[in-house]
């Protein structure tokens, strides 16, 4: 299994079906949210909304299943069981498991491609074991729920940067995902008006190795896409470097006064992949 969505994933409350298509049009993939975005009293109505937008045969959905993820409630809860019952009657097979905490929980989602959302202390500590599960295609981390699980009050300092424990969690999830050959998705940026702050964080996500970033508002999508799209000069430089490597025919060579080896070539290859170049 592999994860081919992104780079801008947009959350949409499941109980707001009038927003489904708009979210799909404005993003690279939609995360239809049955968890935090829906009040407890409205969860059954939200599941009904997902079912209501299917065709009479249950196989012609309003949303493209290849670009749709359904965030379900945590394993072990009554809402989790109800979410799975709902999904059995849909063509959606990409799910995001909220508050994933152990590899055992993923076994309950056999048949689904799962993004495990590690957003509690247990989830972060067990990220490597979770990522190793065959049906897991990616890991995402969540800052605010993590700090709440620790008894903290805020994931960020007064200057807007993450606290040390949040930085550690972010790095842990990224390393666990990539070590297992899975996708790594960066957390949402909750200060919606601060597009400059989002841009800086998205650029850091790209540079660090996150394959995509989640958004909570349509206005954030363009900022994330721009961060992930290499400039023409970046593409040209990467192409020239790889051409030089092919001509050199050696593991290590000198190019423009610098020593070039495998890791630097991988950076160039990643740039071309983000640009959609072969």
């Amino acid at each position: 299994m592999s994860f081919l969505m992104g780079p801008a994933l947009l959350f949409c409350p499941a109980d707001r079906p009038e927003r489904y298509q708009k979210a799909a049009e404005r993003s690279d993939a939609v995360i239809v949210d049955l968890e935090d975005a829906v009040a407890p009293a409205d969860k059954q109505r939200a599941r009904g909304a997902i079912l209501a937008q299917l065709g009479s045969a249950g196989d012609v959905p309003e949303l493209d299943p290849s670009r749709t993820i359904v965030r379900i409630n945590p394993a072990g809860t009554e809402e989790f069981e109800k979410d799975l019952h709902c999904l059995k009657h849909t063509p959606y097979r990409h799910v995001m498991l909220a508050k994933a905490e152990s590899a055992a929980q993923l076994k309950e989602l056999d048949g689904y491609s799962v993004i495990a959302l590690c957003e509690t202390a247990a989830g972060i500590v067990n990220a490597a074991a979770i990522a190793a599960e065959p049906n897991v295609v990616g890991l995402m981390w969540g800052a605010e729920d993590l700090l709440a699980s620790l008894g903290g009050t805020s994931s960020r300092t007064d200057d807007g940067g993450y606290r040390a424990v949040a930085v550690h969690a972010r790095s842990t999830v990224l390393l666990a995902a990539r070590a297992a050959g899975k996708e790594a998705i960066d957390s949402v940026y909750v200060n919606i008006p601060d597009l400059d702050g989002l841009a800086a964080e998205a650029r850091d996500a790209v540079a660090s190795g996150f394959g995509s970033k989640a958004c909570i508002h349509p206005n954030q999508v363009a900022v994330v896409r721009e961060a992930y799209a290499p400039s023409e000069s970046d593409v040209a430089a990467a192409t020239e470097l790889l051409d030089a490597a092919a001509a050199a025919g050696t593991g290590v060579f000198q190019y423009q006064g610098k020593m070039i080896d495998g890791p630097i070539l991988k950076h160039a290859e990643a740039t071309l992949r983000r640009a959609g170049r072969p």
Side-chain angles (χ1 to χ4, degrees):
M1 295 182 180
S2 59
F3 183 81
L4 302 175
M5 304 181 199
L9 314 180
L10 180 60
F11 277 99
C12 178
D15 61 346
R16 298 299 299 272
E18 72 279 6
R19 296 183 182 178
Y20 288 2
Q21 196 56 46
K22 293 178 182 178
E25 291 169 356
R26 299 177 185 181
S27 66
D28 299 309
V30 181
I31 305 172
V32 180
D33 191 3
L34 282 167
E35 198 224 3
D36 281 349
V38 180
D42 295 329
K43 289 187 184 290
Q44 190 58 37
R45 181 168 62 86
R47 286 185 283 265
I50 291 175
L51 295 172
Q53 54 87 50
L54 299 175
S56 58
D59 58 357
V60 188
E62 178 181 341
L63 295 171
D64 179 356
S66 70
R67 296 180 53 241
T68 303
I69 303 160
V70 180
R71 178 160 76 165
I72 58 177
N73 286 277
T77 66
E78 182 179 349
E79 299 297 344
F80 171 82
E81 299 297 336
K82 291 179 179 179
D83 291 346
L84 290 189
H85 180 75
C86 168
L87 287 174
K88 287 178 182 178
H89 300 283
T90 78
Y92 302 129
R93 288 299 176 265
H94 290 88
V95 302
M96 177 180 287
L97 177 61
K99 299 177 178 62
E101 294 191 330
S102 71
Q105 293 174 341
L106 278 303
K107 299 184 188 303
E108 299 183 58
L109 292 168
D110 184 46
Y112 292 93
S113 297
V114 185
I115 297 167
L117 179 47
C118 300
E119 52 184 344
T120 65
I124 300 300
V125 169
N126 294 323
I130 292 169
E133 285 298 304
N135 60 335
V136 171
V137 295
L139 296 186
M140 179 173 156
W141 76 290
E144 299 310 320
D145 277 300
L146 170 62
L147 267 292
S149 80
L150 297 173
T153 59
S154 173
S155 67
R156 295 183 185 266
T157 58
D158 292 341
D159 65 2
Y162 279 123
R163 297 187 188 282
V165 68
V167 173
H168 173 75
R170 185 178 190 240
S171 300
T172 297
V173 167
L174 172 61
L175 290 168
R178 292 310 192 189
K182 309 295 176 68
E183 184 60 282
I185 301 169
D186 199 23
S187 187
V188 298
Y189 192 80
V190 297
N191 189 349
I192 295 172
D194 182 17
L195 296 182
D196 289 340
L198 169 64
E201 188 165 289
R203 288 193 296 268
D204 181 75
V206 175
S208 298
F210 286 96
S212 53
K213 186 169 180 63
C215 304
I216 56 173
H217 192 280
N219 289 348
Q220 296 180 325
V221 170
V223 177
V224 171
R225 284 175 170 168
E226 183 177 0
Y228 274 85
S231 67
E232 286 301 317
S233 61
D234 290 337
V235 172
T239 301
E240 291 173 6
L241 177 59
L242 292 172
D243 288 345
T250 60
V252 179
F253 65 101
Q254 189 178 95
Y255 176 73
Q256 295 183 348
K258 298 179 181 178
M259 186 197 78
I260 305 299
D261 58 7
I264 295 176
L265 296 179
K266 288 184 181 297
H267 295 329
E269 292 168 353
T271 296
L272 296 187
R273 281 197 301 273
R274 293 202 313 276
R277 306 291 176 88

